Amino acid sequence: MKYLSIALAALTFPLAAQAQTVKVDFEDASSYKALSVYDTWEESPFRTGKLQGNAAVVDNFLPQTNADGVVLNDSKKILGVQRSRFGSNTFGVRVDLNEPFSTTPSTVYVHVKMYKPTKGKAMLVGLGKRPDRAGQSNDVEQFWVYSSKSLPADEWCDAVFPIKTCNGVEIHSFVIIPDVTSPNELTEDFAAYFDDIEVNNSDMPRIKQNAYYDLNFDTESTSGKSWQYVTTVKLTSTTNGSQTLTVGSVNPQLLYRDLTSKFFRAKAGDDITPVINYNGGWMNGYVYLDQGNDGQFNVKLNDNYTNAAGSDLMSYYYIETEENTKGYKYDGTELSGNDRNTMETPAFKLPADLPVGFYRMRFKVDWGNADPAGRMTTTNSIKSNGGVVIDTRLNVHADKVNVSSASRNGYITDVNGTELVSYKADFYKQLAIIAQPAPGFALDSVTIYHGYNLTGEQYNKYGTKQWDKVVIRASSFNKKTGKYTLPASIIDGDVMIDAQFASTTAVKEATKEENPLTFTTAAGKLTLHASQPTEVTVIDAEGRTLFKQTINGNRTLALPTGVYVVNGQKVTL
């Protein structure tokens, strides 16, 4: 798995007030005072004493790595809790700390490694007291806070909880709630596991939660400045000219916009000029391309903040090194003041050896930050600044594409009669085809697959679409010549044409006068009625014999929706 690789030594961001050191690792009992369960619902059977909860430290029997072999949690011991269906949605495991820690109005972050069988957000409740309030219990609920992101199921992740209170509050216990959905639908309890509790000043998860094209926020997160948004993103390439995708305002104003159903076009070696049209100010633009098609935007910067060889960060203007003060331009020169206020995204060149195919492309509006997942520092987050992340695709193509056809009882040719076998066509140019049915058949429809890796899955394992499909009915073809012109938008990569031809031999509409055989139809059923022993033959639209027997009386056949020929009579189910 690739990680963001940026020279951090020169960064001098001022930190918030340093969090007190709090670490609980469960390797032995010395890192905590006590363990139990807790429910914020006062009438909970776990509060009244009717039920006893189950929480214990156990050996770490769970997978320690993810699918890419990255170690997520190799601890020997972990904390487990039985999530009871008889508790409320705020039922969880309680960890009493050895020493209380004080909170303030400044935000700090509680990190908890978590493994649970359900997706969704977790919750953290802080139990404590105000020392200046005589007699106050240590169990007063001082905060309830959701995890900053939704959490995956059946994989170790790092749940991050931003917490703050008024001055002078001491937190004595954490209550970790693995699932905040209502337990009303639960039919049985489940187990959840936790490890390595830590309080610090970082809002970044210790484990990269999403394996592919990560974001530092949930996809449903909304902007802190709804009046600021991207109107369009543009790309001009040497071979394909200027192209525009409309983004526009939405309600609510989302931080993430998925435009991966669309794409830009370019050839390897092209000079590319991207443009982000942003309705707002004091932000910067960044453009990324997953050149390795490995599900990551791998960012590499040199020590002087120029782009490094092989970096997936293709275009940017400003990287901040001293918060709200100064940073560096893409060419390594220092910037400060109004010179930082630009959405310019300089031109770049695609590698000449980049293979053809679809690549994930990301446009980001953020402030002075190269992280493709979005800046999330306390004073300058992509959310509070009104930024946005837009994902789309780049179609890196050749001059010619491969066109093939497959059919029975007929074939597809070009306008010169050349059958489409190992055929080459011009990329993104119209292609006229002719359907030529065999004697006794007529064209029913043509299914066209277009894109790349046409024999594979439509989406690769990173969620990037590889091909599309369109069905063209026979009525769209010229009735006399059998001609149809494929639009340029379909010739966007390799093309595979699957033509369906239906039998017309000895077919006539069924009539009630036909004897001794009659039949009735229903959804998926054909019922035959023979008043005397009669040989019956049922043929499908492709000329295959599906049934041939002598019947006397009634017989029902289960058939898919379609057109059939029964003893020379056409039947439609």
Side-chain angles (χ1 to χ4, degrees):
M1 178 181 290
K2 296 180 180 178
Y3 291 95
L4 183 69
S5 176
I6 300 176
L8 296 174
L11 298 185
T12 56
F13 293 162
L15 294 176
Q18 290 295 313
Q20 298 171 65
T21 300
V22 178
K23 291 187 177 182
V24 182
D25 60 14
F26 304 108
E27 294 303 296
D28 58 61
S30 64
S31 66
Y32 56 88
K33 180 180 289 186
L35 302 173
S36 58
V37 299
Y38 184 90
D39 197 333
T40 65
W41 175 33
E42 293 184 355
E43 300 302 318
S44 169
F46 298 96
R47 294 280 290 267
T48 63
K50 292 181 179 179
L51 291 176
Q52 297 295 317
N54 294 314
V57 173
V58 298
D59 292 336
N60 184 3
F61 65 95
L62 297 168
Q64 299 181 2
T65 62
N66 64 11
D68 295 319
V70 177
V71 176
L72 303 182
N73 186 13
D74 57 0
S75 296
K76 294 181 179 179
K77 298 289 185 178
I78 55 177
L79 171 63
V81 66
Q82 180 180 351
R83 173 65 171 88
S84 174
R85 61 193 182 280
F86 300 112
S88 74
N89 66 316
T90 54
F91 171 90
V93 63
R94 172 173 172 166
V95 180
D96 295 339
L97 305 175
N98 283 329
E99 299 292 338
F101 79 97
S102 299
T103 59
T104 69
S106 297
T107 302
V108 295
Y109 301 91
V110 180
H111 295 251
V112 182
K113 289 184 180 178
M114 193 174 302
Y115 190 108
K116 60 196 186 85
T118 57
K119 295 181 180 180
K121 290 194 174 185
M123 178 180 278
L124 185 73
V125 176
L127 306 181
K129 68 177 182 179
R130 292 280 298 271
D132 58 349
R133 295 182 179 177
Q136 187 176 45
S137 166
N138 292 346
D139 293 348
V140 176
E141 294 167 8
Q142 300 292 341
F143 61 78
W144 293 25
V145 61
Y146 290 102
S147 57
S148 57
K149 295 179 67 174
S150 293
L151 305 173
D154 299 321
E155 182 175 299
W156 280 110
C157 60
D158 188 26
V160 182
F161 303 93
I163 64 169
K164 60 181 178 180
T165 64
C166 57
N167 283 310
V169 173
E170 289 185 347
I171 301 301
H172 288 255
S173 306
F174 288 134
V175 178
I176 310 166
I177 299 161
D179 192 316
V180 291
T181 57
S182 170
N184 292 341
E185 301 299 322
L186 281 179
T187 58
E188 59 183 11
D189 297 352
F190 64 79
Y193 300 91
F194 314 94
D195 200 10
D196 294 335
I197 302 172
E198 182 176 339
V199 180
N200 59 36
N201 291 93
S202 173
D203 62 350
M204 297 299 294
R206 296 169 296 180
I207 296 172
K208 289 184 72 70
Q209 178 180 319
N210 298 322
Y212 313 125
Y213 306 121
D214 198 18
L215 294 168
N216 287 332
F217 51 85
D218 288 329
T219 55
E220 67 269 19
S221 295
T222 56
S223 170
K225 296 180 178 179
S226 60
W227 59 93
Q228 298 187 177
Y229 57 90
V230 171
T231 57
T232 60
V233 289
K234 297 183 178 181
L235 185 148
T236 301
S237 74
T238 307
T239 56
N240 287 264
S242 179
Q243 306 155 66
T244 301
L245 294 181
T246 299
V247 183
S249 178
V250 291
N251 185 19
Q253 202 72 264
L254 297 173
L255 282 179
Y256 177 71
R257 303 293 295 277
D258 185 352
L259 299 184
T260 54
S261 62
K262 306 177 186 299
F263 59 82
F264 291 111
R265 308 181 306 278
K267 283 183 61 179
D270 271 0
D271 292 320
I272 305 293
T273 302
V275 175
I276 304 174
N277 290 315
Y278 178 63
N279 183 36
W282 281 95
M283 293 291 270
N284 307 126
Y286 303 83
V287 181
Y288 307 84
L289 181 68
D290 180 12
Q291 300 177 75
N293 248 334
D294 59 2
Q296 305 290 327
F297 294 115
N298 179 32
V299 175
K300 300 176 183 178
L301 295 179
N302 296 317
D303 291 341
N304 63 350
Y305 299 95
T306 58
N307 212 5
S311 176
D312 285 344
L313 175 58
M314 310 304 292
S315 178
Y316 64 100
Y317 195 89
Y318 175 62
I319 302 293
E320 185 168 81
T321 56
E322 187 172 330
E323 191 155 12
N324 293 326
T325 303
K326 65 180 180 179
Y328 287 85
K329 188 179 174 180
Y330 64 92
D331 62 4
T333 58
E334 190 173 276
L335 288 179
S336 61
N338 289 337
D339 291 340
R340 301 169 297 159
N341 179 23
T342 176
M343 282 295 300
E344 181 180 340
T345 45
F348 62 91
K349 181 179 284 290
L350 281 181
D353 58 352
L354 200 62
V356 299
F358 282 117
Y359 294 80
R360 183 69 68 98
M361 194 172 196
R362 174 167 289 181
F363 293 78
K364 185 186 71 152
V365 176
D366 207 347
W367 176 249
N369 188 273
D371 187 348
R375 181 172 181 167
M376 295 299 287
T377 57
T378 303
T379 57
N380 269 308
S381 74
I382 190 172
K383 176 180 176 65
S384 62
N385 285 338
V388 65
V389 172
I390 301 156
D391 277 359
T392 185
R393 293 179 294 162
L394 180 66
N395 183 342
V396 178
H397 65 87
D399 291 327
K400 298 284 187 178
V401 299
N402 299 308
V403 181
S404 62
S405 65
S407 58
R408 286 180 292 179
N409 305 312
Y411 51 96
I412 301 294
T413 71
D414 68 4
V415 292
N416 298 315
T418 301
E419 195 168 349
L420 302 182
V421 178
S422 301
Y423 189 87
K424 297 288 186 179
D426 292 328
F427 174 83
Y428 228 68
K429 297 291 181 64
Q430 292 182 347
L431 176 64
I433 60 174
I434 294 178
Q436 299 194 24
F441 289 85
L443 180 67
D444 178 72
S445 64
V446 169
T447 302
I448 298 177
Y449 302 85
H450 57 100
Y452 300 99
N453 305 314
L454 300 182
T455 59
E457 297 293 330
Q458 187 173 23
Y459 292 83
N460 67 16
K461 69 176 183 177
Y462 311 120
T464 303
K465 183 184 280 190
Q466 300 298 294
W467 49 264
D468 281 286
K469 180 178 75 171
V470 61
V471 177
I472 302 170
R473 307 305 304 183
S475 58
S476 298
F477 285 71
N478 186 287
K479 293 182 179 180
K480 293 182 178 180
T481 65
K483 181 180 176 180
Y484 177 81
T485 300
L486 301 178
S489 59
I490 287 180
I491 316 301
D492 59 359
D494 294 335
V495 178
M496 185 168 64
I497 303 172
D498 183 10
Q500 293 83 46
F501 295 93
S503 173
T504 60
T505 304
V507 173
K508 57 182 178 178
E509 294 295 332
T511 62
K512 294 183 179 179
E513 291 76 23
E514 296 285 339
N515 279 314
L517 180 68
T518 59
F519 43 81
T520 57
T521 61
K525 293 182 179 180
L526 171 65
T527 301
L528 306 167
H529 311 275
S531 58
Q532 61 187 44
T534 305
E535 185 178 89
V536 179
T537 302
V538 180
I539 300 172
D540 68 8
E542 295 184 351
R544 295 174 298 189
T545 299
L546 304 181
F547 179 86
K548 188 174 183 179
Q549 289 185 24
T550 298
I551 65 171
N552 187 15
N554 295 335
R555 181 72 176 270
T556 299
L557 305 179
L559 298 171
T561 300
V563 177
Y564 300 89
V565 178
V566 182
N567 284 12
Q569 301 177 45
K570 187 174 77 174
V571 179
T572 302
L573 293 186

